[in-house]
Structure formats: structure tokens, C-alpha cells
Amino acid sequence: MLEALARAAEASVRLYPDPESSSLRARAAAVYGVPVDHILVGNGSDELLTLLVRAIVDPGDRVAFPVPTYSLYDTLVAVQGGEAVRVPFPADFSLPAAVATAEARLTFLCNPNSPSGTLVPVEQVEALARAVAGVLVVDEAYVDFARASALGLVGRLDNVVVLRTFSKSFSLAGLRVGLAFGPPGLLAGLRAVKDSYNVNRLSQAAAEAALADLATMQANVAKVRATRATLTGDLERLGYAVLPSEANFVLARRRGVDQGPIARALAARDILVRHFPVPALADALRITVGTDEEIRSLLDALGATA
Ligand SMILES: Cc1ncc(COP(=O)(O)O)c(C=O)c1O
């Protein structure tokens, strides 16, 4: 990948990038088995989320999503003047039925979800797509760590957009590259509101190289999955309830016990975990699956603080 970056830098940074990211899209089409005209490249999947809200939501329109979830959805809907319809997940983070009947112009499903790490089965995603009134966006930022993806719905259903990113399983967050898979007509609406040169030359070249070397990503994913399994068991032995995670983090809960002080005690030892000081998550920690060494330090410190 570094060679691809060097080549792109030497050859052509004085030139504007391809506004359509054509070469990267061709590679993505081959890798994911989706036609080129069903793919749009974004400056990270965050840009694609922004474009979706900008293109689809008018002031006052309803945008539904189960919560707690990725906090950017709330922000984007507020900026656009839409009405966020937040449907609480039940304790097991299964899909709440009311998302389907929210009469929303746009529905977000983060799958696997953040911060829970849980996955809604593809059959339920398909049923949701068929039931919602508008567009369903399935944010699959963490899906390479999961067992199943909704990408197969693209092309079959005309209201489904699936988002992917190079920031997680490919460990390339600094590149800022995301992919949207969806119906060409809908993607045309996103193109109409995007910056022409939204993805720079170096990032296009590097992302294409990353897709040519899936083995590196897959080895990373295999390691994370193995560590996730041992981390889950070790946290359970320490008294935490851990939701079944299909992501590169786990949500560990001690029912009714505020984990804010634990997160701060860990931070004092330079161990960073996420604590969300909101009622639904105050007794939980979101722990990223790090290296074996990082996980050992975390467990030692948790054992000492518990
Ligand atoms: C659920 C979810 N979607 C999208 C993103 C944004 O990814 P990107 O780096 O591609 O903008 C993140 C990043 O944390 C995320 O957690």
C-alpha cells in the first residue's frame, strides 16, 4: 500500500483527483460483487452519512434510528432541521419493532451497532427495509468483524443503502475513505450535493491497494475475533455481563453500578475505555479489542479496581 501511495504522490499530486473515484470503484465492484454504478466513494463514511441526510431530509422530516447508537446521526439530523425519532433498544439490543413504523423519510441502522457491538440478523434487516416508509441506511462500519452483512440487499431492494469504511477493519482511518452501496438513482442524489473532489488522489490509490490485499485485513480481523472471545470470557469472570459482540469492541456491564469512576481509574493508568454518562449506559464500559498486551493490562487494572 505504501508503494501505491508513493506512486500516486510522485505521479500526480499537482492534478485534481478523479471526482468519481472510478478506479477505486471498479476495484470495489470486483471485490464486493456490486455493479460500479451502485457504488459511491466518500471522504470517510461520515461524509456519506452527511450526504444522505443533506440529500434526503427536508426540515421537519422524520429520521428514525434505534438508540443508543452512533451519535453522529443525531447531530446530522439536528443540523438539517429534521426530527429525530429515537427508538430505545431493549436490554438485549434486538431490533425494536417501532423503528419500522416510525413513518420516517430516512432510517439508520448501525449494524453491528455501536456501542453495543450487537448484530441484527440480515433477515430482520430485510424485513425492516420492506416495512419502512423511506430509505434504510445500514451503517456497516464494523461488519468485517461480524458473521453476516446486508450487502446482498443492495440491488434487490430499491430503498437500501449500505455503508462501509476503511477506518476499522482495514486500520486506515487516516485515509478518510468510505463506500456507499445503493441504487444508482439514489446515489445520483448524493452526487448532486457532494464536493466534486471529495476524495483525494492519495486516498483513492491507497484504498484501492488495500482492496487488492484483503489478506492483511482478514488477518487483522481474525486476531481481533480471537482476542474478543478471550476478553469476553475474562470480563465475565470479573463479574461483568458482556453482550455478544460482532465488532472490534465489547460492551461490558455491571448492572446498576456506575462505571464512570472505573473508567477514570483506568485512564489514570493510561488505559482508555469509553464510558457514556447517560442513564442507559452509565453502568457499562465500551472496551476496544486491543493487542493481547493491552488487554492483559486492562484486565489486571480492572481486577485491581473491582
Ligand atoms: C458506526 C460508525 N459509522 C461511521 C463511522 C465513521 O467512519 P469513517 O471513519 O469512515 O468516517 C464510525 C466511526 O467511528 C462509526 O462508529
Side-chain angles (χ1 to χ4, degrees), residues 145-286:
F145 302 103
R147 271 172 301 176
S149 157
L151 197 54
L153 301 180
V154 172
R156 280 209 292 124
L157 299 178
D158 64 6
N159 67 333
V160 173
V161 176
V162 171
L163 300 183
R164 296 286 187 91
T165 178
F166 287 83
S167 298
K168 313 296 178 184
S169 56
F170 289 92
S171 307
L172 295 171
L175 285 186
R176 310 307 304 129
V177 183
L179 300 173
F181 299 90
L186 207 155
L187 298 187
L190 306 191
R191 273 197 187 87
V193 295
K194 85 171 180 67
D195 282 352
S196 304
Y197 304 112
N198 62 328
V199 182
N200 72 70
R201 269 181 180 275
L202 301 186
S203 294
Q204 289 184 31
E208 191 181 333
L211 285 182
D213 174 25
L214 286 183
T216 300
M217 178 274 276
Q218 285 157 352
N220 179 34
V221 164
K223 199 150 191 341
V224 167
R225 283 187 174 148
T227 309
R228 183 176 73 195
T230 50
L231 171 65
T232 300
D234 288 341
L235 285 167
E236 285 171 347
R237 271 185 285 285
L238 283 173
Y240 281 92
V242 184
L243 283 166
S245 172
E246 302 258 356
N248 61 342
F249 51 81
V250 300
L251 194 73
R253 170 162 270 161
R254 235 193 209 132
R255 214 153 273 292
V257 182
D258 181 14
Q259 295 298 298
I262 304 285
R264 287 190 287 279
L266 292 174
R269 298 176 180 221
D270 292 331
I271 299 170
L272 302 181
V273 300
R274 280 296 293 275
H275 177 253
F276 304 86
V278 295
L281 293 169
D283 61 0
L285 294 173
R286 198 193 92 157

Side-chain angles (χ1 to χ4, degrees), residues 44-46 49 70 73 110 114 139 141-142 165 167-168 176-177:
S45 50
D46 277 353
L49 288 164
Y70 186 38
Y73 308 152
C110 184
S114 175
D139 181 346
Y142 299 99
T165 178
S167 298
K168 313 296 178 184
R176 310 307 304 129
V177 183

